[in-house]
Amino acid sequence: HAMDRKVGEVLLYYCYCEVKDPEKLCAWQKALCQHLHLTGKVRVASEGINGTVGGSKVATNLYIEVMLSQPLFKDILCQDDFKSSAGGAHCFPDLRVGVFKEIVPMGIDPKIVSYKETGIHLSPQEFHREVEQYLSQGSQGQGDTILLDCRNFYESKIGHFQGCLAPDIRKFSYFPSYIDENLELFKDKRVLMYCTGGIRCERGSAYLRSKAVCREVYQLKGGIHKYLEEFPDGFYRGKLFVFDDRYAICSNEDIVSACRYCGTLWDQYKLCSSQHCRQLVLTCPSCRNKGLTACCPVCQEKELKVTSRASGQTLKEECECTRRRPRVPIERLLQRMLNAGKD
């Protein structure tokens, strides 16, 4: 595996543009990836394309070249729009290219909230300066700025900007209701928002702006990915969660999260050991050795009953605990109830 990692890379990119024939673009994209032996996930829609692919350096370089010369993206996409990290084809189980309604699943019709209404894009340097200023204000009363993480709780849990507000959401499609439920919070504020590669901010900032309560909405261009290239030891602490078999990439040595069983510092996710469950679990080596490998007691029980997994088949079926799992993670709810009890 160590050899593999040096050899190839994983690319992350998106491009918002008008796509007249998504099916055709999808077929072309699929053929291109197959030809270059790339694995990964690509979403195509009438509003553009969003992808993350892995392969050899030669293949990913060729891929970028072809993408930049594709007439559809010619004047919109540029070299800098591709974020790269060490990896390869082994980071994804297969290649999936499909046509969807949205290139990032916010669950709101692109015709209603369009990427064309986005916030003001800040370069990593500009964003860094803004965060620096925001942090220097300390906790003097209610500052006029909010640093908003647009990602899911399991992403922000293992890495985030210092002093950020991280919504307790399990999916980006819960982001709009999070905004709706917390509108008061954003009233007359300058909002600095960020996500992994910038794409969620494109729609998230448009949604927030459509509410017309903020003074100003800014977003980090290129996301945490580009920020870490410039500031590996900046205000982003911990790991960067990625949606492939690596789970996270590392830019500094900080560990900002804990083992769910014993509370020791730990930030390496593994899938819950119950084969029906798709939850990610933070459980440290010593707890794993004790057999604590599941996301919850239900799954731990279930796992003991289930014998060896069918040949390489991963089942997407969810366990009961997933269906019962609230939009907001239960630990936070408990914490809130405890805090409320203290007042």
Side-chain angles (χ1 to χ4, degrees):
H1 238 23
M3 260 313 286
D4 278 1
R5 262 185 223 112
K6 286 194 182 62
V7 175
E9 63 183 354
V10 170
L11 297 177
L12 177 68
Y13 73 93
Y14 67 89
C15 180
Y16 276 105
C17 58
E18 222 169 298
V19 180
K20 295 267 191 288
D21 190 345
E23 296 294 342
K24 189 176 162 191
L25 178 62
C26 180
W28 171 80
Q29 180 64 213
K30 195 169 189 170
L32 171 62
C33 291
Q34 284 169 341
H35 180 71
L36 295 172
H37 302 291
L38 296 173
T39 57
K41 296 173 267 198
V42 182
R43 291 175 72 98
V44 176
S46 53
E47 61 170 359
I49 187 167
N50 172 18
T52 176
V53 294
S56 71
K57 267 292 217 289
V58 173
T60 53
N61 285 338
L62 272 167
Y63 181 80
I64 293 175
E65 225 173 287
V66 175
M67 290 297 283
L68 295 177
S69 61
Q70 154 69 255
L72 263 177
F73 315 130
K74 207 159 173 61
D75 300 319
I76 315 165
L77 202 56
C78 66
Q79 183 83 37
D80 204 39
D81 291 321
F82 290 87
K83 299 103 196 172
S84 68
S85 54
H90 63 273
C91 295
F92 302 91
D94 52 17
L95 171 68
R96 290 183 194 174
V97 187
V99 175
F100 297 84
K101 192 166 182 167
E102 306 169 276
I103 58 172
V104 67
M106 189 166 78
I108 294 203
D109 193 319
K111 289 185 197 71
I112 296 169
V113 172
S114 162
Y115 67 90
K116 292 173 181 143
E117 307 297 320
T118 100
I120 298 160
H121 293 70
L122 299 179
S123 70
Q125 290 84 353
E126 293 168 323
F127 197 83
H128 185 75
R129 279 200 298 274
E130 282 286 348
V131 174
E132 189 165 34
Q133 212 180 339
Y134 163 75
L135 291 171
S136 71
Q137 291 165 3
S139 50
Q140 310 152 6
Q142 282 294 295
D144 66 340
T145 305
I146 288 180
L147 180 55
L148 179 65
D149 193 319
C150 296
R151 300 171 305 154
N152 305 322
F153 72 87
Y154 55 84
E155 298 174 78
S156 54
K157 195 181 211 158
I158 62 163
H160 50 255
F161 274 95
Q162 288 164 263
C164 75
L165 169 64
D168 287 319
I169 54 174
R170 264 204 302 143
K171 295 179 179 153
F172 187 54
S173 55
Y174 299 159
F175 183 76
S177 54
Y178 172 84
I179 295 292
D180 295 351
E181 285 156 26
N182 295 283
L183 268 186
E184 269 308 298
L185 208 60
F186 298 103
K187 220 174 156 72
D188 302 321
K189 293 281 197 287
R190 298 169 72 247
V191 178
L192 299 169
M193 55 200 313
Y194 68 89
C195 60
T196 308
I199 187 170
R200 282 179 274 186
C201 288
E202 301 282 15
R203 296 287 310 286
S205 67
Y207 187 80
L208 185 53
R209 289 190 65 213
S210 74
K211 298 289 155 188
V213 296
C214 299
R215 207 169 75 201
E216 209 77 82
V217 180
Y218 298 95
Q219 67 202 74
L220 173 57
K221 187 175 177 348
I224 301 160
H225 233 296
K226 286 286 180 193
Y227 177 85
L228 290 177
E229 281 178 25
E230 308 280 335
F231 303 100
D233 226 355
F235 298 118
Y236 184 90
R237 307 313 302 173
K239 309 273 187 297
L240 171 57
F241 185 94
V242 287
F243 290 90
D244 59 58
D245 294 348
R246 297 171 299 171
Y247 293 135
I249 41 193
C250 171
S251 86
N252 56 58
E253 295 305 310
D254 288 14
I255 300 179
V256 300
S257 52
C259 168
R260 71 161 309 224
Y261 287 103
C262 72
T264 184
L265 286 176
W266 187 250
D267 63 5
Q268 290 170 44
Y269 279 121
K270 279 214 165 42
L271 275 177
C272 170
S273 51
S274 163
Q275 85 174 45
H276 293 302
C277 182
R278 307 298 301 158
Q279 280 307 302
L280 290 167
V281 192
L282 287 174
T283 162
C284 73
S286 79
C287 288
R288 291 193 79 82
N289 289 341
K290 291 177 193 149
L292 300 169
T293 52
C295 72
C296 70
V298 179
C299 277
Q300 200 74 61
E301 276 303 293
K302 203 167 186 173
E303 190 224 343
L304 299 174
K305 298 190 188 104
V306 175
T307 48
S308 73
R309 175 178 292 208
S311 57
Q313 222 182 350
T314 50
L315 295 157
K316 253 301 173 56
E317 186 194 320
E318 295 185 334
C319 124
E320 304 85 289
C321 74
T322 307
R323 279 196 296 276
R324 284 204 307 267
R325 192 169 280 115
R327 280 180 153 201
V328 173
I330 199 81
E331 300 133 60
R332 303 285 168 88
L333 285 176
L334 289 170
Q335 199 51 52
R336 263 185 222 149
M337 281 152 65
L338 288 170
N339 290 346
K342 280 183 202 142
D343 294 347

